[in-house]
């Protein structure tokens, strides 16, 4: 599996993060609650050193709640501060603000400053918008801070850097790549939609069979038959009356991403990669 990788771009982002690190008190690392380990930055420590950080498992509204609770316990055991949020809902950010209040150093009299980092599509922009609010005033330049750097004032005690650090996920194994592709965090071309949707269907048939039944009225068929049934049910046809399987595949992946299949997690703590590995090694990939 070849991965598009732009070393120059990445180096620039890393420099931006390192420069901003001096200005912030806390780094908020966003992950996707449906696969918090696969979307986590494995080299975060080398990037941020011993700077305070909080892992925000975002899109918690789309993840399996039981599994999210298992992740919270897991990270706590690892000494990682983690919190699950739905950043589309303002009221859900209270816990985050409480946590940020707790990490504030007593010696720092000014507002706590934080920045958001994470891989693509985990919700960085959504969280920034939600924290900043519509009326939020962009704060004036802070002494010692370059002019084009903008701080968003969240409240009297909290400021947020308006530019997130977008990092490319780093992964060695195929199974992580598959999860990232399903979640929309890596380029689609990595795996085509059809293959990706067949993999997702296999996963759902084993772990969330009811979700497929409820959404598409299908069960206990093979993944390929399920794609065909989706095309049939939705009237996806190409010329000559042939089912448009590619459209079914895209629909399934997009509807999964939007949570239309219900709350589904893609990984559990301390689970052997068994299932995904098996799929990854099958010829459909
Ligand atoms: N359901 C749900 N969707 C979210 C949440 N956060 C972001 N999204 C959606 O995820 C997609 C990617 O979000 P975006 O903020 O652009 O991600 P970014 O690439 O990290 O900046 C958008 O369609 C958002 O509406 C969340 O907490 N829950
Ligand atoms: Mg963004």
């Amino acid at each position: 599996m070849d991965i598009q990788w732009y070393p120059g771009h990445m180096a620039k982002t890393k420099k931006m993060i390192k420069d901003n690190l001096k200005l912030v008190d806390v780094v908020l690392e966003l992950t996707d609650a449906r696969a918090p380990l696969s979307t986590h930055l494995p080299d975060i420590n080398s990037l941020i050193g011993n700077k305070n950080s909080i892992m925000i498992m975002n899109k918690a509204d789309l993840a399996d709640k039981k599994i999210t609770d298992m992740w919270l316990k897991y990270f706590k055991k690892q000494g990682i501060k983690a919190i699950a949020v739905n950043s589309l809902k303002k009221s859900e950010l209270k816990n985050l603000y409480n946590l940020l209040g707790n990490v504030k150093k007593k010696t720092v009299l000014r507002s706590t400053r934080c920045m958001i980092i994470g891989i693509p599509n985990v919700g960085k922009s959504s969280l920034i918008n939600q924290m900043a609010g519509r009326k939020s005033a962009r704060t004036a330049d802070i002494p010692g801070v370059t002019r084009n750097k903008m701080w968003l004032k969240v409240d009297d005690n909290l400021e947020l850097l308006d530019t997130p650090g977008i990092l490319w996920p780093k992964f060695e194994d195929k199974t992580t790549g598959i999860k990232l592709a399903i979640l929309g965090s890596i380029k689609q071309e990595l795996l085509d939609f059809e293959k990706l949707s067949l993999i997702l269907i296999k996963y759902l048939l084993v772990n969330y069979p009811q979700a497929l039944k409820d959404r598409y009225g299908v069960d206990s068929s093979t993944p390929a038959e399920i794609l065909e049934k989706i095309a049939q049910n939705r009237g996806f046809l190409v010329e000559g009356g042939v089912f448009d399987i590619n459209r079914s595949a895209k629909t399934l992946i997009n509807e999964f991403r939007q949570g239309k299949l219900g709350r589904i997690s893609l990984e559990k703590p301390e689970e052997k990669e068994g299932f995904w590995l098996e799929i990854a090694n099958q010829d459909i990939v």
Side-chain angles (χ1 to χ4, degrees), residues 261-279:
L261 278 82
R263 301 180 63 150
I264 292 165
S265 292
L266 297 181
E267 60 189 16
K268 278 184 199 154
E270 288 168 64
E271 177 186 58
K272 298 246 182 320
E273 286 289 2
F275 173 81
W276 291 103
L277 201 59
E278 215 176 280
I279 297 185

Side-chain angles (χ1 to χ4, degrees), residues 199-221:
I199 294 171
L200 179 58
I201 291 172
K202 283 201 167 202
Y203 179 77
L204 295 174
L205 281 172
V206 175
N207 297 283
Y208 299 92
Q210 196 60 36
L212 283 171
K213 202 170 178 179
D214 290 347
R215 182 78 192 164
Y216 305 110
V218 291
D219 69 322
S220 65
S221 315

Side-chain angles (χ1 to χ4, degrees), residues 37 67 69-72 74-75 267-272:
L37 213 52
I67 297 178
D69 288 341
M70 289 163 72
W71 279 115
L72 287 169
Y74 170 85
F75 288 124
E267 60 189 16
K268 278 184 199 154
E270 288 168 64
E271 177 186 58
K272 298 246 182 320

Side-chain angles (χ1 to χ4, degrees), residues 119-126 128 164 166:
I119 66 170
N121 210 39
V122 288
K124 296 177 298 300
S125 302
S126 306
I128 290 176
I166 307 165

Side-chain angles (χ1 to χ4, degrees), residues 158-190:
L158 188 62
E159 282 171 348
L160 173 66
L161 197 66
D162 75 346
T163 325
I166 307 165
L167 290 153
W168 191 246
K170 193 177 156 197
F171 55 95
E172 272 94 38
D173 56 289
K174 218 173 184 178
T175 61
T176 303
I178 291 171
K179 290 178 221 171
L180 292 171
I182 291 174
L183 294 170
S185 285
I186 52 174
K187 287 201 187 309
Q188 235 79 80
E189 303 90 75
L190 241 185

Side-chain angles (χ1 to χ4, degrees), residues 57-167:
M57 297 200 286
N58 192 36
K59 308 197 187 186
D61 56 308
L62 304 181
D64 192 324
K65 187 162 184 325
K66 278 198 306 281
I67 297 178
T68 300
D69 288 341
M70 289 163 72
W71 279 115
L72 287 169
K73 277 194 200 127
Y74 170 85
F75 288 124
K76 194 170 178 189
K77 237 166 70 189
Q78 310 267 315
I80 297 172
K81 280 190 211 85
I83 185 170
V85 308
N86 164 7
S87 57
L88 302 184
K89 252 178 128 177
K90 193 154 201 94
S91 58
E92 291 230 349
L93 297 185
K94 272 194 203 117
N95 289 340
L96 172 63
Y97 296 150
N98 286 339
L99 201 56
L100 281 167
N102 293 342
V103 298
K104 186 175 161 71
K105 285 205 193 93
K106 291 204 174 65
T107 47
V108 179
L109 294 175
R110 55 162 174 74
S111 297
T112 302
R113 292 180 197 149
C114 56
M115 75 177 295
I116 288 172
I117 64 172
I119 66 170
N121 210 39
V122 288
K124 296 177 298 300
S125 302
S126 306
L127 181 63
I128 290 176
N129 290 340
Q130 193 64 269
M131 285 176 76
R134 219 179 288 163
K135 291 180 304 227
S136 145
R138 289 187 171 235
T139 57
D141 286 344
I142 294 167
V145 174
T146 37
R147 283 200 164 274
N148 58 7
K149 208 155 283 163
M150 288 297 212
W151 293 88
L152 301 161
K153 195 173 152 73
V154 180
D155 61 31
D156 286 343
N157 301 312
L158 188 62
E159 282 171 348
L160 173 66
L161 197 66
D162 75 346
T163 325
I166 307 165
L167 290 153

Side-chain angles (χ1 to χ4, degrees), residues 5-14:
W5 171 262
Y6 305 104
H9 183 254
M10 194 66 166
K12 228 165 124 186
T13 307
K14 285 194 169 166

